[in-house]
């Protein structure tokens, strides 16, 4: 059996307490909840810009030599 990495402790893998009832609200409320959560993204990304820039700087030479970047996402936890 392959190795298993426990991701359950990552913040991104936890339930979002602000959207626990998202399946029981009106469509308009659902849209407001999603929009409110999406609005938090810029400030979080902003605090990680140095790390993001370092990753880009590390990848750029590899890509310019024919390498590829594979970026994978799997939805939004807690929704």
């Amino acid at each position: 059996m392959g190795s298993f990495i426990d991701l359950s402790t990552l913040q991104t893998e936890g339930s979002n307490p602000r959207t626990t009832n998202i399946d029981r609200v009106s469509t308009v409320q659902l849209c407001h909840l999603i929009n409110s959560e999406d609005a938090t993204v810029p400030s979080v990304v902003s605090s990680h810009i140095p790390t993001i820039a370092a990753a880009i700087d590390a990848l750029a030479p590899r890509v310019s030599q024919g390498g590829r970047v594979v970026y994978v996402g799997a939805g939004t936890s807690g929704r």
Side-chain angles (χ1 to χ4, degrees):
M1 182 179 266
S3 63
F4 174 76
I5 300 171
D6 182 10
L7 302 176
S8 65
T9 60
L10 294 176
Q11 179 183 1
T12 57
E13 301 308 308
S15 293
N16 183 340
R18 293 176 301 276
T19 58
T20 55
N21 295 324
I22 201 165
D23 59 325
R24 295 186 285 267
V25 300
S26 72
T27 304
V28 168
Q29 289 171 308
L30 174 136
C31 292
H32 280 294
L33 282 169
I34 291 172
N35 184 249
S36 292
E37 291 304 304
D38 289 347
T40 67
V41 172
S43 65
V44 174
V45 170
S46 178
S47 67
H48 295 280
I49 285 176
T51 303
I52 295 165
I56 293 167
D57 289 342
L59 291 169
R62 292 167 174 89
V63 171
S64 68
Q65 294 175 4
R68 295 183 297 157
V69 174
V70 179
Y71 180 81
V72 179
T76 304
S77 297
R79 287 193 192 162

